[in-house]
Amino acid sequence: MRILSDEFVEHYTGRMMNIHPSLLPKYKGLNTHQRVLQAADTEHGCSVHFVTPELDGGPIILQARVSIDKDENEASLAQKVHQQEYRIYPQAIRWFAEGRIRLDNDQVLFDEQPIT
């Protein structure tokens, strides 16, 4: 992971996406799988979002959820989340390349309609 300067991020506003292994806005930053298990959450997942100067704080484009089994550990949970990351990140990139998503005043538009 690399934290980019505010100036760099602002220059590319609306043109950079990131995938994060949590259901943002929960669990920004590192060690998300461990933190989810410690909190005894029943679901976890991943989020694709536009990059903003706030770490993992940009507007969310797409999320995927996974259930957490009673015997789940960090490795098994990470594997579940990775499977969803491999599915949703290419989808979000495809939509961006096709002009179907864009950032407008901190709001994600999909086919010109706000994503809620």
Side-chain angles (χ1 to χ4, degrees), residues 41-75:
D41 287 357
T42 58
E43 67 177 4
H44 188 33
C46 52
S47 305
V48 178
H49 64 93
F50 279 107
V51 175
T52 63
E54 179 187 352
L55 179 67
D56 299 326
I60 296 167
I61 298 165
L62 188 59
Q63 292 182 312
R65 298 176 187 279
V66 299
S67 62
I68 300 175
D69 297 328
K70 291 180 183 179
D71 62 341
E72 204 81 64
N73 60 50
E74 285 183 53

Side-chain angles (χ1 to χ4, degrees), residues 10 17 21 29 31 37 44 46 61 66-68 71 79-80 84 96 102 113 115:
E10 288 168 4
M17 290 182 277
N31 305 314
L37 292 172
H44 188 33
C46 52
I61 298 165
V66 299
S67 62
I68 300 175
D71 62 341
Q79 182 59 36
K80 282 182 174 180
Q84 294 305 310
F96 185 80
R102 67 182 179 91
Q113 298 299 313
I115 292 178

Side-chain angles (χ1 to χ4, degrees), residues 17 62 86-101 110:
M17 290 182 277
L62 188 59
Y86 299 145
R87 185 179 64 81
I88 70 170
Y89 205 23
Q91 182 64 63
I93 293 168
R94 184 176 305 112
W95 287 339
F96 185 80
E98 293 170 349
R100 297 188 71 192
I101 59 171
F110 180 82

Side-chain angles (χ1 to χ4, degrees), residues 3-13 16 52-55:
I3 297 176
L4 305 171
S5 72
D6 289 357
E7 294 80 19
F8 183 87
V9 170
E10 288 168 4
H11 179 77
Y12 291 99
T13 297
M16 284 193 299
T52 63
E54 179 187 352
L55 179 67

Side-chain angles (χ1 to χ4, degrees), residues 2 7 26 28 41 48 57 87 107 111 116:
R2 171 173 264 162
E7 294 80 19
K26 291 180 83 173
K28 295 178 180 181
D41 287 357
V48 178
R87 185 179 64 81
Q107 173 70 54
D111 290 341
T116 56

Side-chain angles (χ1 to χ4, degrees), residues 18-36:
N18 182 47
I19 189 151
H20 182 73
S22 81
L23 295 171
L24 292 173
K26 291 180 83 173
Y27 307 112
K28 295 178 180 181
L30 301 174
N31 305 314
T32 61
H33 311 307
Q34 175 187 26
R35 292 162 55 201
V36 161

